[in-house]
Amino acid sequence: MGLTLRDRSAKGCLRSLEGDCWIDRESSGCEFRDARLGDRFRKLLTQIGSAMGQSIPLVYQDWANTKAAYRFFSNDRVSEADILAGHFQSTRDRAAAAEGLVLVLHDTTEFSYQREKSEAIGITKSINSGRHKAGRLRSHTVCGILMHSSLAVTIEGVPLGLAAVKFWTRKKFKGTAALKKKINPSRIPIEKKESVRWLENLKQSTQLVNHPGRCIHIGDRESDIYELFCAAQEIGTLFLIRTCVDRLAGDGDHTIADEMDEVAVKGRHRIEVRDSNGDPDQAVLEIRYRKIRVLPPIGKQKRYPALTLTVIHAEERGTPKNRKKIDWKLITDLPVGSRTDAIEKLEWYALRWKIEVFHKILKSGCKAEESKLRTAQRLTNLISLFAS
């Protein structure tokens, strides 16, 4: 039996009420400097949220409301911190209500924009764009904004919300190759590097969850930072990182790789994967793990202590035909005493793809890169609203 007009009307009202409740809940923790800004923010959440992916003029279809939206995003009294404050509070509440451990997934993404002049937004990187007639490489800078996000999920993968976000742009870009000609990057204090964002988000997200021992911070190879390991131990939280640095180990006369070469395979684990064509496939992983005394970089051994950490190496048997071979090396301060423990940590790390999906939604679903807003401030305010 079909719905009557009254039934359909009631159902529509229910959806409207649910939407209003969600907006009230996610914005209740926002404290703008002017109450009118808070009212405008809730209207923007409602209107842009109901037409996600549309440009601001198409959302409103009248100049008065379009202009009001532009004024909000360009207002000097509005920042991403103001916009995300309510969402962070909701994340804290959801984490408190959830049972068990909380995985905090960290990752960095770039939003690129086509602009004749990049000064008002900034740049993200320099890329090769072919060669000159003389054969020299030609390069150009990419206009855009970088975003470092920390997404809290349960160990089942249920999203709880963002726990920290950091935006930034570059006025000029100096590649690592140029940097290495002047100084060894490993000797530069972490406070002077962009990678300090990993430490800042680790601390902010741990504080938000308000229970360091419940948090397990998960990151890809970009997060393989010794200072991050030390920061986690200082505040009593935990980490599970994909490692790419073969650090000194033991008494300093060998490396982590040397020790792991001595470890026999302690178990095998079969997983379901997809090849480059998207077809289902299976992979058999050989698992090795060992607790190792890990040393800080040589130039920082006076500042940071040695740490006892566990390295997990999961390598696929054989060579697959239509995809890359799986070869994961993880480093963690979590206890790993059995094959079951190691598999559990691998499954937790596999949830890291959820932060990549979140970034993809901002770009393809919300179409954040198609915005015509002219400055970095306006764009970060818009992206923050999408993320709320």
Side-chain angles (χ1 to χ4, degrees):
M1 182 181 296
L3 292 174
T4 66
L5 182 60
R6 180 178 295 177
D7 292 333
R8 288 196 294 269
S9 177
K11 192 173 182 179
C13 289
L14 179 60
R15 284 198 298 266
S16 177
L17 287 172
E18 289 173 346
D20 290 344
C21 290
W22 172 82
I23 289 169
D24 290 341
R25 184 171 63 250
E26 292 297 310
S27 62
S28 62
C30 295
E31 295 183 359
F32 292 94
R33 303 181 192 181
D34 189 321
R36 291 171 295 182
L37 292 174
D39 293 337
R40 175 57 59 182
F41 173 61
R42 282 183 282 274
K43 290 179 181 178
L44 287 168
L45 270 182
T46 303
Q47 294 159 333
I48 293 179
S50 64
M52 194 60 70
Q54 299 291 333
S55 66
I56 292 175
L58 282 178
V59 169
Y60 292 103
Q61 298 187 1
D62 73 85
W63 177 237
N65 282 305
T66 299
K67 190 174 181 180
Y70 286 149
R71 282 201 303 267
F72 177 86
F73 291 121
S74 63
N75 195 315
D76 290 336
R77 294 181 297 170
V78 175
S79 69
E80 64 265 23
D82 299 323
I83 292 171
L84 287 165
H87 176 71
F88 287 152
Q89 179 175 297
S90 295
T91 300
R92 181 190 297 112
D93 295 340
R94 285 187 286 265
E99 296 182 357
L101 298 170
V102 174
L103 307 182
V104 185
L105 317 176
H106 302 264
D107 197 21
T108 303
T109 192
E110 299 176 3
F111 296 91
S112 299
Y113 299 95
Q114 298 292 328
R115 301 288 191 273
E116 289 186 6
K117 296 182 179 180
S118 63
E119 289 80 4
I121 295 177
I123 58 178
T124 59
K125 60 186 176 183
S126 176
I127 62 174
N128 293 330
S129 54
R131 292 181 179 272
H132 294 283
K133 291 182 179 180
R136 296 191 305 274
L137 283 173
R138 182 172 58 242
S139 65
H140 73 274
T141 53
V142 177
C143 175
I145 295 170
L146 296 108
M147 175 185 184
H148 188 65
S149 312
S150 303
L151 178 68
V153 304
T154 67
I155 57 175
E156 292 82 18
V158 178
L160 300 172
L162 288 171
V165 172
K166 181 177 178 61
F167 292 97
W168 78 102
T169 62
R170 302 175 177 125
K171 295 301 180 186
K172 61 181 180 178
F173 180 78
K174 186 176 291 185
T176 54
L179 182 66
K180 288 178 181 178
K181 292 179 181 178
K182 296 185 177 181
I183 189 170
N184 183 348
S186 67
R187 295 180 180 271
I188 300 175
I190 189 69
E191 295 81 7
K192 295 183 179 181
K193 295 182 179 181
E194 283 187 0
S195 51
V196 73
R197 68 185 186 275
W198 291 91
L199 279 68
E200 293 170 346
N201 273 33
L202 178 139
K203 294 174 182 177
Q204 182 180 334
S205 55
T206 302
Q207 184 178 15
L208 186 83
V209 175
N210 198 30
H211 197 311
R214 283 187 70 198
C215 291
I216 301 173
H217 299 271
I218 297 177
D220 62 6
R221 285 171 288 195
E222 192 180 357
S223 64
D224 187 9
I225 304 167
Y226 198 86
E227 291 90 338
L228 180 75
F229 307 160
C230 294
Q233 295 220 339
E234 286 175 7
I235 61 178
T237 194
L238 303 160
F239 62 85
L240 178 63
I241 302 297
R242 188 171 178 186
T243 181
C244 62
V245 181
D246 188 17
R247 305 183 187 280
L248 291 174
D251 294 327
D253 57 350
H254 62 278
T255 67
I256 292 174
D258 296 329
E259 284 208 35
M260 292 304 294
D261 286 342
E262 300 173 355
V263 180
V265 174
K266 297 186 178 181
R268 293 181 174 86
H269 181 52
R270 187 182 300 273
I271 60 173
E272 300 289 333
V273 296
R274 291 190 178 273
D275 63 20
S276 56
N277 299 320
D279 297 325
D281 193 9
Q282 288 191 336
V284 177
L285 306 180
E286 294 183 335
I287 299 172
R288 295 179 291 139
Y289 56 88
R290 173 179 279 189
K291 187 178 288 187
I292 296 176
R293 182 175 185 266
V294 181
L295 302 180
I298 291 176
K300 299 179 179 179
Q301 291 185 354
K302 291 183 179 180
R303 182 174 181 182
Y304 299 103
L307 300 173
T308 300
L309 305 172
T310 297
V311 176
I312 305 170
H313 189 187
E315 184 177 12
E316 184 175 0
R317 292 179 64 187
T319 303
K321 293 181 179 180
N322 297 323
R323 57 178 173 80
K324 290 184 178 179
K325 182 176 179 177
I326 297 174
D327 188 6
W328 284 0
K329 296 176 182 178
L330 308 181
I331 192 165
T332 181
D333 55 354
L334 290 160
V336 181
S338 66
R339 168 184 171 276
T340 302
D341 289 344
I343 290 173
E344 179 183 58
K345 307 309 178 286
L346 291 169
E347 291 175 343
W348 288 352
Y349 180 79
L351 291 172
R352 200 196 69 82
W353 66 271
K354 287 183 175 289
I355 186 72
E356 296 182 1
V357 171
F358 168 68
H359 288 155
K360 185 177 181 180
I361 290 171
L362 290 177
K363 295 177 183 181
S364 60
C366 302
K367 294 183 170 54
E369 291 181 307
E370 295 183 17
S371 173
K372 302 302 180 184
L373 295 177
R374 296 180 181 178
T375 68
Q377 177 209 355
R378 299 172 190 178
L379 288 167
T380 55
N381 284 344
L382 177 65
I383 295 169
S384 298
L385 184 142
F386 289 153
S388 297

